[in-house]
Amino acid sequence: MNKKFLDRIYKSDLDLSINQLYKEWASSYEDELNGNKYVTPRRCADMLMKYCSNPRIKVLDLGCGTGLSGEALHARGFHQIDGLDLSSEMLTLAKDKAIYSRLINDDLNTLVKLDQKYNGMIAAGVISPGHANPETINVALSLLQSPGIFVFSLNDHALADSAFIKEVETILSSSSVEILEEEYGDHIIDINLKAKIFAIRSKYWNASTD
Ligand SMILES: C[S@@+](CC[C@H](N)C(=O)[O-])C[C@H]1O[C@@H](n2cnc3c(N)ncnc32)[C@H](O)[C@@H]1O
């Protein structure tokens, strides 16, 4: 299967901005990812379902891209899904799927503020060097309504980047974060890339505050 953009995306000397890369990639993204057996959206949706068994909850798909992750959520019965992404070209394709209630064009590396909170959130293939930085984990926790769950993936490239993973570990070891599960497994099967999926929540939720 063609790996035109997959060959470029993980290079540390990427010669264009991440926004420009996804602008160019948008129209062929799904063919390339599906063709190389990208399974992380399914894994993230399964883990969210495991901890949020009520599919009527409001879910935010961070870095939703063209909507592969939203489709995986939808297939598991989540039907109140909003999406957020940096790339307007990726969002245009996500909109065509008609599965998102709302799509937000924003950069997770800035202080994202939204006018509502969510019960569940996923970031499939988004928190990674050159993409959304580790601080996204704190941003996500701030957008969750207690006792909401955040599920995200870190691929082998993120796991092997010592500076990046140190930042992630510092955030995850904070006294306010509870890690419910970590599962290492397939990410993009045909390029033999794996990813660890995390399910976390804030430790300090209190049912009486909801
Ligand atoms: C590998 S794609 C994953 C898309 C989708 N979640 C999926 O599983 O197919 C990464 C997505 O993250 C988005 N992204 C990268 N950095 C971002 C940032 N700082 N803020 C918001 N979105 C970002 C890209 O535009 C792209 O759509």
Side-chain angles (χ1 to χ4, degrees):
M1 177 67 203
N2 188 325
K3 295 197 275 96
K4 188 165 172 247
F5 282 92
L6 282 173
D7 278 340
R8 293 171 72 186
I9 188 88
Y10 300 123
K11 292 223 163 73
S12 55
D13 58 346
L14 196 62
D15 52 354
L16 72 180
S17 72
I18 202 72
N19 203 356
Q20 184 63 29
L21 184 130
Y22 279 100
K23 178 179 181 168
E24 293 180 18
W25 196 2
S27 62
S28 59
Y29 174 85
E30 292 201 1
D31 280 349
E32 190 167 345
L33 270 284
N34 287 332
N36 284 287
K37 303 193 187 78
Y38 173 50
V39 295
T40 287
R42 175 180 59 69
R43 292 183 60 211
C44 286
D46 283 344
M47 200 177 283
L48 187 68
M49 182 50 107
K50 182 171 173 183
Y51 292 99
C52 300
S53 52
N54 176 2
R56 287 188 299 279
I57 62 166
K58 288 182 79 71
V59 180
L60 179 61
D61 181 7
L62 292 176
C64 62
T66 58
L68 289 179
S69 34
E71 282 181 320
L73 290 166
H74 201 262
R76 276 146 195 84
F78 295 106
H79 289 163
Q80 288 200 72
I81 314 168
D82 290 352
L84 180 150
D85 203 279
L86 178 67
S87 163
S88 56
E89 290 77 13
M90 298 289 272
L91 285 174
T92 298
L93 296 169
K95 188 170 177 217
D96 290 344
K97 294 202 159 76
I99 51 171
Y100 292 98
S101 310
R102 179 183 179 198
L103 287 166
I104 304 153
N105 192 192
D106 210 337
D107 183 350
L108 288 163
N109 293 339
T110 62
L111 203 57
V112 174
K113 285 208 168 68
L114 300 178
D115 53 12
Q116 68 175 92
K117 294 210 169 194
Y118 293 86
N119 313 101
M121 214 171 280
I122 69 167
V126 180
I127 302 177
S128 195
H131 284 61
N133 63 35
E135 187 57 27
T136 298
I137 298 167
N138 282 330
V139 171
L141 290 174
S142 77
L143 296 173
L144 276 177
Q145 178 154 5
S146 298
I149 304 292
F150 178 42
V151 171
F152 63 95
S153 65
L154 295 179
N155 71 22
D156 283 337
H157 297 288
L159 295 168
D161 182 321
S162 55
F164 191 90
I165 206 65
K166 196 167 168 215
E167 276 187 68
V168 170
E169 282 168 359
T170 301
I171 293 169
L172 294 182
S173 64
S174 143
S175 57
S176 62
V177 177
E178 180 179 8
I179 300 176
L180 301 168
E181 186 170 350
E182 305 174 33
E183 181 199 65
Y184 188 69
D186 288 328
H187 179 57
I188 305 177
I189 293 171
D190 281 3
I191 61 170
N192 196 27
L193 193 63
K194 296 189 182 293
K196 195 182 264 194
I197 311 283
F198 293 79
I200 67 170
R201 70 180 171 196
S202 169
K203 258 187 200 166
Y204 298 126
W205 68 274
N206 178 341
S208 65
T209 62
D210 287 337

